[in-house]
Amino acid sequence: MTSMLVLAMALSLPDPPIPSNMKEMECAIHELAFQYGSRYPDKIPVMNPNSLSDALNLWNCSGTVPQKNAKPAKDLISPPSDARNSWFVDTKRGSDAIGKGSIDSPWRSVTHALAHLPTMSDRRTLFLREGTYYLNETISLTAAHSKLTISAYISDKGTEKVTLSGAGGVVTGWNCSNLLPDCKVYEAKVDLPKRGENLAPEVVNQLFANGKRMIRAKYPNADPAVTEGHCFSKPQFANEKCNWLTSTGGNTAQDPGRLVGSVALGPNRGNSPTVGCGKECNSTCATFSFNIYDPPAGHPVYNKPLPGMGWNNNSLFSRFPSPFGRPADMGVAKGDLPRQWKKPSTGIVHTFHSLLWGGWMYRIKDRQDLNITLAYGGYQEARGAQMKTNHYYVENLIEELDVPSEWFFDEDTDTVYLYPNSTEGGFPEVTIPTLDTLISVKDAHDVVIQGLTITQTRATFMEQYEVPSGGDWSIHRGAAVYIEDSHRINVTGCEFIETGGNAVILSNNVTFSHIESNEFYRTGDSGIVSLGMTNGINGMAATYPMNNTIAFNHMHEYGVYGKQTSCYFQSLTANSTVFGNICYNGPRAGFNYNDGFGGAYQMSQNLLFNHVRETADHGAFNSWDRQPYLTRSGVDDGFPDSVKLGLKGSSIVKAQSHITQNFIINGYSGVWAVDHDDGSQFYNDSSNFMVWGGCKNFLGHSKSCDHNLIVYPGIPNRANGARRCQTDDNGVFANQYFYDNQCITGDGIFYTFAKCTTTNLPETVYQTFNNQFYSPKTTFVENCGQNLSFSEWQKLGQDRGSNVTETMSLQEVCFSFLD
């Protein structure tokens, strides 16, 4: 909804000038970011000591600077405090037949060990010895495994390297294929699970060679996990480009046997008829069910009419049609796809929402010349739209297997094809994941998982998705480590490498759990997901994550497949703490809060940069709050139970949340550093260092942006939309504060207030005071229906106690940050 507004305002708001010392300033800020991200060498894991400096492009400044004292995740764990009750598994020399579970006579498999651990009330530890554990089934932890630690073995020499792989074993029996001349491609017969009936998502969709993810045969050729394979919506550096094709558009015409329509507006949407697969798939690939509640009169947000929007605001979501209105086909440009496909229905097309709000993936139904008919898909993003003209690539088509690192699995003949990078030194070790989840924890408590490398899971972007709340995002409720209805679960010191979907999920009633000191690299979707469930507006049941901590994690290169993904995503969650994480290099927001639910979120001392690289109209941090909830986690709201569905003890007003002391660098197609979108409320953004982007309010209530240092927001080569220190597209809702900030611009424009006029400037909406502004020649211009000087602006009751002085020097910026 806001993207059109962004584009419209960009037409009237001039781009701020780029600082004359841009390279020097950016290098200095990036070196500060490097120091900030290196503060906790004994808590934040680092596989590659150059990864942070490379992502900050310090090679373009003083050269690559490795992180000192960097340690991999497994070296950050400690031995269990009580290891008396210990048992052992060894995939290399253990035996399930005769092993006794001792260090000298270990078991061979984890599942066998779990079935034979003795029952006791004391804590137990299951040590895994060094090696790769190829799993044929998920490691399932239940109530019977409470007070259990699963740990890589820690000896006097350090922590052993333990890898859990979702591939059941190594593929052998390779021979030359006649697919391409000169034995470039090899083939092998395999016995692997297949798709279910009626085009259910395929089982085989990832392949690894020597532990590295290979590329499913695609066009155009590029690795979707590296720079050359990305479609940067706004490249920022010379080596970045879009190696995707461009569609000529799509339409939503009805296709026989397939529903692509919308549901009518109304208080209860029910289930959208467009549930992904339609009649072509037995499973429900995407669900959406929502009850829109009419909040009590006097609620600060949800019962106010929005001028010009044409509806009474009982929910900011109430005006939207079905989020699953999707194109049924797409056009392609002549010459884009030069090869003909014998069986188009094996193919997958990856494309984007027309406004770049996220990615869509579809099974291809058929292709006729320049038209591709789409089967199920498109539910990996929750807003829907016409396709218009956008980027795309196709994969999983045997005719496109033509370069090294590509592969294809033919389900009809049980044959896998691989174009290896090299066969010198022997054929690579090839593994094919068949599991989505490697470890499942359900109905358990006091479980610790530590020191493990978790990798090689299936891609899940064609599996079932759901729209959990009123935000723009849909999500797959699944992950490599799946935690549900459990308490005091700790995942620490683990590496999540090239998982096919989400890496970790906290689902439903997960409390007092910690995801700490892990590294997440090239995850197919998001790194960490916190996802609850409600009965429509009723969030009173214990079915949501609460009081959990996400801390000291190193998360980067996420969203290889899904483009509406983040380092950390939360929805229907309360009292979360997100502290001390490093998050960079992703397609959309680094942290996304899909709703406000019960509030009381604490997000502090995180480093976020290089986000919104492949999408648009977003910030490094993003929040929504379109839909109210009745919860036990809010504050005393003063309303009687009789106007809250009779739910005793419920609150319709969420607790205050805090975003503090974070280092956030806007960039690429990011518009803001902190983006509080549709209806976000009860946030305090304080004492943050924001670079190339500022704060944003759109609708909502009770937000403050204060005590922040904001450096050159909106400059055109590092941001979109020319938005300044504070954006407010509001004009309606009260208690929006901007005070005690320091903000630097190159032209003296400090605010982007869309609704501001000299005759319509409610002091309860726009509350600005005690700010320190910096600009060349102490220039100040506020476009409030007309250009106002600083004194004219103050006469309207704004920026009492504020000052405008000459632009800060680079040294002063650095000192101000360090202070």
Side-chain angles (χ1 to χ4, degrees), residues 7 96 162 483 593 644:
L7 296 175
D96 289 342
V162 175
I483 304 169
Y593 291 13
K644 295 184 292 184

Side-chain angles (χ1 to χ4, degrees), residues 218 220 222-236 240-247 350-352 356 390-393 559-560 563 586-588 612-616 668-669:
K218 70 184 287 286
D223 186 345
V226 300
T227 297
E228 66 171 9
H230 289 170
C231 189
F232 288 88
S233 51
K234 182 181 180 181
Q236 191 162 291
E240 297 167 340
K241 60 183 179 180
C242 179
N243 203 7
W244 295 36
L245 302 172
T246 302
S247 69
H350 295 243
T351 186
F352 285 97
L356 294 179
N390 233 323
H391 307 298
Y392 76 97
Y393 72 82
V560 172
K563 302 307 178 186
R588 200 123 177 84
V612 202
R613 301 196 303 174
E614 300 176 69
T615 56
Y668 293 93
S669 282

Side-chain angles (χ1 to χ4, degrees), residues 365-383:
K365 187 173 184 178
D366 198 7
R367 175 188 171 191
Q368 298 294 329
D369 194 20
L370 302 181
N371 184 269
I372 294 176
T373 305
L374 304 172
Y376 64 89
Y379 42 75
Q380 303 87 354
E381 174 275 336
R383 282 290 296 275

Side-chain angles (χ1 to χ4, degrees), residues 166-412:
V170 178
V171 178
T172 58
W174 293 95
N175 296 295
C176 288
S177 171
N178 61 6
L179 200 62
L180 290 178
D182 302 324
C183 201
K184 294 177 181 177
V185 173
Y186 290 78
E187 63 182 55
K189 292 287 186 179
V190 292
D191 182 15
L192 293 170
K194 299 180 183 179
R195 282 191 288 170
E197 297 179 357
N198 299 324
L199 296 180
E202 74 277 10
V203 173
V204 178
N205 56 24
Q206 290 221 104
L207 181 144
F208 290 76
N210 291 337
K212 183 180 183 300
R213 178 195 277 138
M214 296 289 100
I215 306 162
R216 194 153 62 160
K218 70 184 287 286
Y219 190 84
N221 293 321
D223 186 345
V226 300
T227 297
E228 66 171 9
H230 289 170
C231 189
F232 288 88
S233 51
K234 182 181 180 181
Q236 191 162 291
F237 297 100
N239 62 333
E240 297 167 340
K241 60 183 179 180
C242 179
N243 203 7
W244 295 36
L245 302 172
T246 302
S247 69
T248 60
N251 63 65
T252 53
Q254 293 285 349
D255 186 56
R258 183 173 179 277
L259 294 168
V260 294
S262 299
V263 293
L265 299 178
N268 187 350
R269 304 301 163 80
N271 289 313
S272 168
T274 50
V275 289
C277 296
K279 295 180 180 179
E280 297 175 334
C281 185
N282 287 334
S283 64
T284 299
C285 289
T287 57
F288 178 69
S289 181
F290 224 89
N291 294 89
I292 292 175
Y293 167 64
D294 193 7
H299 191 280
V301 175
Y302 293 115
N303 73 336
K304 289 180 178 289
L306 297 183
M309 295 293 188
W311 87 100
N312 287 328
N313 183 35
N314 58 350
S315 164
L316 290 177
F317 205 69
S318 60
R319 71 180 291 266
F320 297 147
S322 166
F324 294 112
R326 290 293 187 269
D329 59 19
M330 61 180 286
V332 301
K334 187 175 181 179
D336 270 359
L337 299 172
R339 297 185 180 94
Q340 295 299 311
W341 307 326
K342 183 178 179 180
K343 191 176 180 181
S345 61
T346 67
I348 302 287
V349 60
H350 295 243
T351 186
F352 285 97
H353 182 282
S354 60
L355 296 176
L356 294 179
W357 287 350
W360 295 342
M361 292 78 117
Y362 289 92
R363 169 72 59 189
I364 294 174
K365 187 173 184 178
D366 198 7
R367 175 188 171 191
Q368 298 294 329
D369 194 20
L370 302 181
N371 184 269
I372 294 176
T373 305
L374 304 172
Y376 64 89
Y379 42 75
Q380 303 87 354
E381 174 275 336
R383 282 290 296 275
Q386 297 279 340
M387 186 172 288
K388 296 184 180 177
T389 299
N390 233 323
H391 307 298
Y392 76 97
Y393 72 82
V394 294
E395 66 162 346
N396 203 38
L397 295 151
I398 193 169
E399 291 83 1
E400 306 300 347
L401 200 166
D402 59 349
V403 294
S405 296
E406 289 193 337
W407 66 277
F408 178 81
F409 175 56
D410 188 334
E411 289 187 323
D412 295 335

